[in-house]
Amino acid sequence: MSKIWFNGQFIPYEQGQIHIATHALHYGTSAWEGIRIYNSNAFMLEEHCKRLLSSAQKIHLSCTHKLQEIIQACKNIIEINQLRKGYIRPIIWLGSEEMRISGANCIVNTAVLAWDAFTDYNPNIPGLNMEISPWRKPGPSCIPSDLKAGGVYMMLSLIKNQATDRGFDDAIMLDTNERIAEATTSNIFLIKNNILYTPKINGFFLNGITRQVIIKLAKKNHIEVQEMNLKLQDLHDANSAFLTGTSIEVMPIAKVYDDFNKKEKIFDTSSHILQKLRNAYHEITSMK
Ligand code: PMP
């Protein structure tokens, strides 16, 4: 990548540096998005930029750039860097003007970065090997969890590293009410008797944009969708399961180790519903 957008200017990638006293580095005061580029277009760009500004607002970062300006910056970054495929990361954060916890006198910065490749997993593997994390996802009475903010991702990074250290690809988190919440950077769907189940929005997990697209695609394909509270037993009772997210797209889960009940669940990764949704998602993203 040659250029990034920083507070309204295009600057060389190497010049995108910030001070060690940056408030966001110390306190996690940043809001950001991850957007995929398909065929030189940012997929669901407006939805991501709206969520960026909403995440910023939820953690009291008043971004001086308007929605249309950020959308345009993302489009320009794709063009300037001549990206046909890749990943865009717009970010809003508190600067280095003061170290007090409120950061009330810090400047709110905005930048847009992009890369030509960004993926955590090989899309050709049959499915992921997951664990149920021993950590619980806190809810709205503890911390706003349904947003993309730096501070929240410290916990998700810890959960991911713990899972990979133990030989898993990623972890599924339960919330503090023992309901299935999400994986570290993706939402979860279960399939049982040809019905699609996914946790209903409750403030404990991010309402993924891919999740919303998959629900629409399922309904369009006459697949019944139930958004409801799901418990660990629902996972054990399901036939198939998959994750959705900007980076991971639609990824089957092959197995889950549940340390709470000391049992492993093996899923059918060749479910026709899963394949149908995976193909439908691939089709709409490749049309972009
Ligand atoms: N949950 C979390 C915690 C995430 O970081 C992500 C990735 N943004 C998702 C779910 C999936 O969201 P999306 O489909 O909007 O990428």
Side-chain angles (χ1 to χ4, degrees):
M1 183 185 23
S2 60
K3 289 271 166 52
I4 61 179
W5 184 91
F6 179 46
N7 290 341
Q9 309 286 327
F10 293 96
I11 60 167
Y13 185 83
E14 300 70 37
Q15 287 179 19
Q17 295 181 8
I18 53 174
H19 199 275
I20 301 164
T22 294
H23 195 277
L25 177 65
H26 297 257
Y27 304 114
T29 43
S30 67
W32 52 272
E33 272 301 316
I35 311 169
R36 272 290 265 263
I37 307 165
Y38 296 98
N39 298 333
S40 306
N41 279 298
F43 184 60
M44 306 295 281
L45 178 60
E46 185 163 341
E47 289 77 0
H48 280 283
C49 291
K50 279 186 178 157
R51 191 171 66 184
L52 172 74
L53 290 175
S54 141
S55 297
Q57 199 183 24
K58 284 181 190 168
I59 57 166
H60 303 266
L61 299 182
S62 40
C63 178
T64 50
H65 300 281
K66 298 269 175 291
L67 176 68
Q68 285 310 323
E69 217 180 328
I70 297 174
I71 290 176
Q72 195 54 49
C74 292
K75 288 182 177 169
N76 291 343
I77 275 294
I78 296 176
E79 202 182 317
I80 290 174
N81 291 301
Q82 299 178 345
L83 297 170
R84 265 194 61 70
K85 61 175 183 56
Y87 181 87
I88 315 178
R89 167 66 56 91
I91 179 161
I92 299 170
W93 75 96
L94 279 190
S96 54
E97 289 71 22
E98 73 167 344
M99 196 36 76
R100 285 189 305 154
I101 192 147
S102 78
N105 294 314
C106 291
I107 289 176
V108 178
N109 296 283
T110 310
V112 179
L113 301 102
W115 295 269
D116 62 2
F118 184 93
T119 183
D120 256 1
Y121 304 103
N122 172 357
N124 301 319
I125 58 170
L128 299 176
N129 177 17
M130 312 279 296
E131 71 164 346
I132 304 295
S133 177
W135 297 93
R136 298 287 201 288
K137 189 92 200 280
S141 63
C142 305
I143 186 171
S145 282
D146 57 347
L147 80 176
K148 289 185 79 76
V152 172
Y153 278 84
M154 186 285 296
M155 190 186 95
L156 301 179
S157 173
L158 167 75
I159 291 171
K160 168 82 177 183
N161 285 322
Q162 190 175 63
T164 53
D165 282 355
R166 296 205 279 222
F168 300 100
D169 294 313
D170 194 7
I172 297 164
M173 288 163 279
L174 304 181
D175 67 24
T176 45
N177 294 326
E178 308 289 317
R179 299 169 300 194
I180 294 174
E182 61 185 344
T184 58
T185 56
S186 51
N187 293 111
I188 183 163
F189 285 83
L190 303 176
I191 303 171
K192 187 184 164 198
N193 299 335
N194 295 328
I195 299 174
L196 199 56
Y197 295 90
T198 196
K200 80 166 183 220
I201 301 303
N202 54 20
F204 283 75
F205 64 88
L206 187 74
N207 180 11
I209 290 169
T210 321
R211 172 188 182 276
Q212 297 169 49
V213 170
I214 288 297
I215 291 173
K216 277 198 191 127
L217 286 174
K219 290 182 178 164
K220 203 172 145 201
N221 283 279
H222 311 291
I223 298 164
E224 184 179 340
V225 185
Q226 299 265 357
E227 291 179 67
M228 56 189 278
N229 290 331
L230 296 170
K231 299 279 179 145
L232 255 187
Q233 191 54 47
D234 295 303
L235 183 137
H236 287 289
D237 292 343
N239 314 113
S240 297
F242 62 93
L243 300 178
T244 63
T246 295
S247 164
I248 205 169
E249 301 177 304
V250 178
M251 175 60 90
I253 301 176
K255 53 186 177 175
V256 176
Y257 181 66
D258 166 8
D259 197 37
F260 291 104
N261 297 299
K262 308 277 178 237
K263 52 182 183 177
E264 184 174 70
K265 171 74 191 182
I266 308 275
F267 287 114
D268 170 17
T269 53
S270 63
S271 141
H272 70 279
I273 289 185
L274 168 48
Q275 296 313 327
K276 195 179 230 179
L277 291 171
R278 216 176 179 193
N279 291 342
Y281 189 73
H282 181 68
E283 213 170 279
I284 57 163
T285 53
S286 53
M287 273 171 3
K288 293 282 159 193

